[in-house]
Amino acid sequence: MPPLNAPHPSSDDLNAAPNPAIDVVDVAVIGAGPAGLMAAEVLSAAGWRVDVYDAMPSVGRKFLMAGKGGMNLTHSEPAEPFVARYGKRAGAVGQWLRRFSADDVRSWSHRLGVDTFVGTSGRVFPVDMKAAPLLRAWLSRLRASGVRLHVRHRWLGWDENAAAGPNHLRFATPTGERQVCAKAVVLTLGGASWPQLGSDAAWVPSLREHGVSVAPLIPANAGFEADWTPHMRERFAGHPVKSVTMTLPDGTTRQGEFVISEHGIEGSLVYAMCAPIRDAIRSSGSAQVYLDLLPDWSAERVAAEVARQRGSRSMASHLQSRLGIAGVKAALLRECLSRETFNDPAALAAGIKRLPLTLLRVRPIAEVISSAGGVSLESLDAQLMVKALPGVFCAGEMLDWEAPTGGYLLTACFASACVAGDGAAAYLEANR
């Protein structure tokens, strides 16, 4: 078997004659991440010759990186709460999911010979928890269907002076600039997170120049910075904070866990609340969240235990013995409450149940899991074709939507690619 992502001898064009005049193809898919490969699969199954172009030396790099901690393919929760995870874009993404649902993700994986299972959190994983075997099987099937992969092809935009039509594309390659005329184009260029893996948002100016509305790309599924003391930063960075709830000023509450970082907080609970926290910081300069360190205890029980006589014991020993608060949770209390509060049992009990934590900044977009913003859905028709650019379709993370981790990101990337692939196939058929 060839090494993972190695160009197939029949489809790799890097050894072709340099600088051909113009290559004419049925459909050019630009971006070889999950959305690009899924669009290629849909179009190939519809009978079209598909050429996939990617700037990186190999394909699916972010897919592989996401799988390093266990390849989370999708989530098993029912359709209604699943769709609600997409927030303001739930209506649009819900339509995509009608085409390719979470159940379809699992069926697709099984057809590739990779069985899945549902974890205790409801997340769906391959049985071996790895991304590489799945990607290897997928690439093998795509090549067998005639899909051609062109790596080290960085899209430069359109050739404005070309007489070959609106989809006359320019690529920078190791052998010089290459020109491709496609009957249809599917852009799956990613957002702006992890640019070292290919998602560098270099496409934004080109689309804006062609009248496409692109919302600013901003961090999603991101950590946030807090003003930790040196002791907190040095002693507790990397420690998980488990079994807590986080509440926003508007009352939105979620239970889960997060991790103390050198800069502030990160982890699944933080990512689930990312959008409103980020938006509050953007509008007000900071965001206040409230932590319940003992969500399974009533406020009355906490107050009663804190108020018990502690004799000669320190407050730290008292909290540990009566409430089980120690380690990182005890450190959070010291960080976020005043010294005077520890001398007031009622105020301390209230702080345990509603601990105020001020978040100052979102972490830089280059290091976060995903990005929000991108091509405005209002710039696209129902089949994800750009209204200002007939024959050009967009899918994946480059579109203006976001979702928390848990399989929701990958599922929507797949689903949007299926919609765009269907749309491109219909466009090609109508313009034979």
Side-chain angles (χ1 to χ4, degrees):
M1 179 178 289
L4 182 66
N5 293 348
H8 193 278
S10 65
S11 61
D12 178 21
D13 58 348
L14 295 181
N15 296 320
N19 299 323
I22 298 177
D23 287 347
V24 179
V25 302
D26 282 348
V27 57
V29 176
I30 307 177
L37 297 179
M38 184 59 76
E41 182 168 330
V42 170
L43 282 154
S44 178
W48 297 100
R49 184 178 58 194
V50 183
D51 288 77
V52 180
Y53 303 86
D54 197 272
M56 303 303 286
S58 57
V59 307
R61 290 196 165 196
K62 194 171 180 182
F63 184 80
L64 290 173
M65 179 62 74
K68 280 195 170 182
M71 186 69 247
N72 183 194
L73 290 172
T74 188
H75 203 285
S76 63
E77 69 183 351
E80 186 174 347
F82 191 106
V83 172
R85 299 289 187 177
Y86 299 94
K88 297 176 183 177
R89 292 301 194 183
V93 178
Q95 292 300 313
W96 306 344
L97 295 171
R98 291 177 181 271
R99 170 61 174 85
F100 197 80
S101 67
D103 288 339
D104 292 323
V105 174
R106 299 189 72 182
S107 298
W108 166 83
S109 179
H110 297 165
R111 291 195 300 272
L112 285 170
V114 178
D115 289 335
T116 61
F117 74 95
V118 179
T120 55
S121 65
R123 299 184 182 200
V124 176
F125 302 90
V127 290
D128 61 3
M129 300 290 287
K130 297 178 180 178
L134 183 61
L135 181 59
R136 186 176 289 114
W138 194 10
L139 292 175
S140 178
R141 185 166 74 183
L142 288 171
R143 286 167 175 147
S145 71
V147 173
R148 299 188 296 183
L149 304 175
H150 309 278
V151 295
R152 296 188 177 92
H153 278 58
R154 179 173 292 279
W155 184 53
L156 301 176
W158 288 272
D159 186 343
E160 302 300 335
N161 299 315
N167 292 335
H168 191 117
L169 309 166
R170 299 169 54 227
F171 293 92
T173 81
T175 57
E177 185 170 320
R178 179 176 178 182
Q179 299 178 14
V180 174
C181 184
K183 299 173 185 176
V185 177
V186 181
L187 300 177
T188 58
L189 292 160
S193 64
W194 295 359
Q196 69 273 24
L197 301 181
S199 298
D200 58 9
W203 51 269
V204 172
S206 185
L207 266 67
R208 283 179 172 161
E209 288 169 6
H210 284 77
V212 181
S213 175
V214 181
L217 291 161
I218 55 177
N221 289 297
F224 293 90
E225 297 181 7
D227 188 17
W228 294 144
T229 61
H231 173 75
M232 187 71 178
R233 185 169 55 250
E234 295 164 10
R235 175 68 179 81
F236 292 100
H239 285 233
V241 184
K242 297 186 176 183
S243 301
V244 297
T245 61
M246 181 179 291
T247 300
L248 304 182
D250 67 2
T252 302
T253 301
R254 288 189 183 277
Q255 185 165 353
E257 61 183 71
F258 64 91
V259 176
I260 301 296
S261 71
E262 178 184 358
H263 305 285
I265 60 173
E266 58 186 37
S268 58
L269 179 57
V270 180
Y271 304 152
M273 307 285 264
C274 178
I277 296 173
R278 180 194 64 217
D279 295 346
I281 291 175
R282 186 166 52 182
S283 63
S284 304
S286 65
Q288 187 110 81
V289 300
Y290 299 92
L291 304 176
D292 184 345
L293 300 183
L294 294 174
D296 297 328
W297 290 43
S298 68
E300 293 76 15
R301 182 184 175 191
V302 171
E305 293 296 337
V306 173
R308 285 180 182 272
Q309 293 297 318
R310 58 186 174 92
S312 62
R313 287 185 306 175
S314 68
M315 180 56 76
S317 296
H318 182 63
L319 293 179
Q320 182 172 359
S321 64
R322 302 306 310 183
L323 294 92
I325 291 179
V328 67
K329 285 188 176 180
L332 278 168
L333 286 175
R334 292 290 180 183
E335 283 285 314
C336 301
L337 297 178
S338 68
R339 214 179 265 271
E340 292 73 27
T341 301
F342 283 81
N343 297 320
D344 182 339
L348 179 55
I352 291 169
K353 292 296 290 179
R354 190 175 170 83
L355 184 68
L357 174 60
T358 301
L359 301 175
L360 304 174
R361 290 169 295 276
V362 64
R363 291 297 295 162
I365 195 169
E367 70 176 46
V368 304
I369 292 174
S370 61
S371 57
V375 176
S376 166
L377 300 190
E378 289 71 29
S379 295
L380 311 173
D381 68 12
Q383 294 183 301
L384 301 184
M385 185 172 75
V386 180
K387 295 174 182 177
L389 296 169
V392 177
F393 298 78
C394 296
E397 197 179 332
M398 70 181 295
L399 302 182
D400 184 16
W401 60 277
E402 64 179 304
T405 57
Y408 308 103
L409 290 164
L410 188 55
T411 302
C413 283
F414 282 155
S416 65
C418 288
V419 173
D422 289 344
Y427 178 87
L428 287 163
E429 186 64 38
N431 290 275
R432 276 187 183 274

